[in-house]
Amino acid sequence: MKFIIQAGGIFGALAVALGAFGAHALKGMLEASGRMETFETAVKYQFYHALAMVLVGLLLQRAGEDAVKLLAWSGHAFIFGVIIFSGSLYAICFTGITKFGATAPIGGLLLIAGWILLIMAAGKLA
C-alpha cells in the first residue's frame, strides 16, 4: 500500500515537472521535431495513472482479503504500465528513435489491465 501511494506521488511530481519542462525549456525542440503531442500524451497518461495509484493505495487500507491481491496487482500494473508506456514515448521524444514506440502497446495493455483489476477488486469491496 505505502509503496503504491509513494510511486503515485513520485510519478505525479515527475509528471508536473516534465510537463512544465516540456512546455518551457523543451518547447522549441519538441515542436521542431513534431513531438509535442507525443510528449503531452506521455505526461497526461503518467499523471492520470499517478492519481490512480494513489487511489489504489488508499483502497488497500480498507480492502478485505479478497480485494487486496487484486488491488496490489492493479497498482503494480499501473506502475509498470507508466514506465513502459510513458517511458517509451519520452524515449521517442528525446532520442528520435521511433522503434521505442514498439513497446508502448505493452505499457498500454498493462494500464488497461490495471483498470480491469481495479474493477474486479471493487466488486469484492465491502
Side-chain angles (χ1 to χ4, degrees):
M1 159 192 54
K2 183 177 173 181
F3 172 74
I4 293 171
I5 294 172
Q6 288 173 327
I10 291 166
F11 283 164
L14 285 172
V16 172
L18 286 167
F21 192 61
H24 300 289
L26 299 177
K27 185 176 182 180
M29 185 268 295
L30 291 169
E31 287 177 341
S33 66
R35 302 275 187 233
M36 182 61 91
E37 189 175 319
T38 302
F39 188 82
E40 288 174 351
T41 298
V43 171
K44 279 191 275 188
Y45 274 68
Q46 180 177 336
F47 193 70
Y48 298 153
H49 290 89
L51 293 174
M53 285 178 235
V54 172
L55 170 67
V56 166
L58 293 174
L59 287 172
L60 274 164
Q61 291 180 0
R62 300 194 174 259
E65 230 177 286
D66 292 342
V68 166
K69 282 186 181 180
L70 291 169
L71 287 168
W73 278 101
S74 173
H76 287 90
F78 287 145
I79 290 168
F80 290 110
V82 166
I83 290 169
I84 296 169
F85 180 81
S86 292
S88 68
L89 297 183
Y90 292 135
I92 291 168
C93 291
F94 294 126
T95 68
I97 301 170
T98 58
K99 289 185 180 188
F100 284 118
T103 60
I106 296 166
L109 287 173
L110 285 167
L111 296 175
I112 293 167
W115 287 108
I116 292 170
L117 289 161
L118 178 57
I119 293 164
M120 292 168 60
K124 297 184 181 287
L125 294 173

